Amino acid sequence: MNKQQRIKKNTEFQRVFKKGKSFANRQFIVYMLKGDQEEFRLGLSVSKKVGNAVTRNRVKRYIRQAFLELKDDLLPNADYIIIARPQAATLDFHESKKSLEHVLKIARALPKK
C-alpha cells in the first residue's frame, strides 16, 4: 500500500472515529467515513490484547492483503479504520478475509453478491 492509502496521524484517526460510522462482527470493528479523495485510505489498530508482536503484525498483514485484494470492489473515496479484536489472532488469512468481507458488506462498502 502506498503512502496516500494510509492513515497514520492521530488527528485523522480521531476525525474518522468522531464523524464516521462503526460496524462490527466478532473479529473486527470497522469505522468508515466517506470523503472526497480519489482512493480509499486505511488505518489499522491492533492492541496488545490481541497477542504478542508477531501475532499483531500477522493480523495487520492479513488485513492489508485482504484490502489489496478487495480494492476494486470497495468504495473508493472513503477512509477505513480497522480495529482487530482478540478473536482475530486465531484466524488464518482466508478466514480473516471472509470476516472482513462480512463486516464491509454490513457497512455497505462492498456490494452484496
Side-chain angles (χ1 to χ4, degrees):
M1 302 190 92
N2 58 25
K3 282 192 174 186
Q4 291 82 27
Q5 290 179 309
R6 294 190 195 134
I7 299 175
K8 288 282 206 182
K9 295 182 179 168
N10 185 35
T11 54
E12 294 174 338
F13 269 88
Q14 295 305 319
R15 183 176 59 83
V16 176
F17 286 142
K18 288 184 177 128
K19 296 183 180 178
K21 294 193 181 271
S22 67
F23 307 91
N25 62 10
R26 290 183 181 220
Q27 293 83 19
F28 299 104
I29 303 169
V30 174
Y31 283 86
M32 189 175 93
L33 178 65
K34 294 178 183 169
D36 55 356
Q37 68 270 14
E38 61 275 356
E39 56 186 352
F40 73 89
R41 297 189 315 158
L42 179 64
L44 300 175
S45 175
V46 183
S47 77
K48 288 186 178 182
K49 292 178 186 176
V50 173
N52 62 12
V54 175
T55 304
R56 293 194 307 269
N57 287 331
R58 181 179 350 106
V59 170
K60 289 190 273 190
R61 272 196 318 271
Y62 288 169
I63 294 170
R64 280 191 213 105
Q65 185 61 36
F67 263 79
L68 283 175
E69 291 181 10
L70 296 171
K71 72 178 179 182
D72 294 331
D73 298 331
L74 284 170
L75 289 176
N77 56 351
D79 289 344
Y80 301 96
I81 293 180
I82 310 295
I83 300 172
R85 289 182 163 167
Q87 294 89 341
T90 62
L91 303 177
D92 67 0
F93 171 70
H94 298 293
E95 292 170 331
S96 295
K97 183 179 175 188
K98 190 173 181 182
S99 180
L100 275 171
E101 284 177 351
H102 173 256
V103 75
L104 288 170
K105 284 178 184 174
I106 293 171
R108 294 192 178 126
L110 276 177
K112 293 183 180 177
K113 294 180 182 176

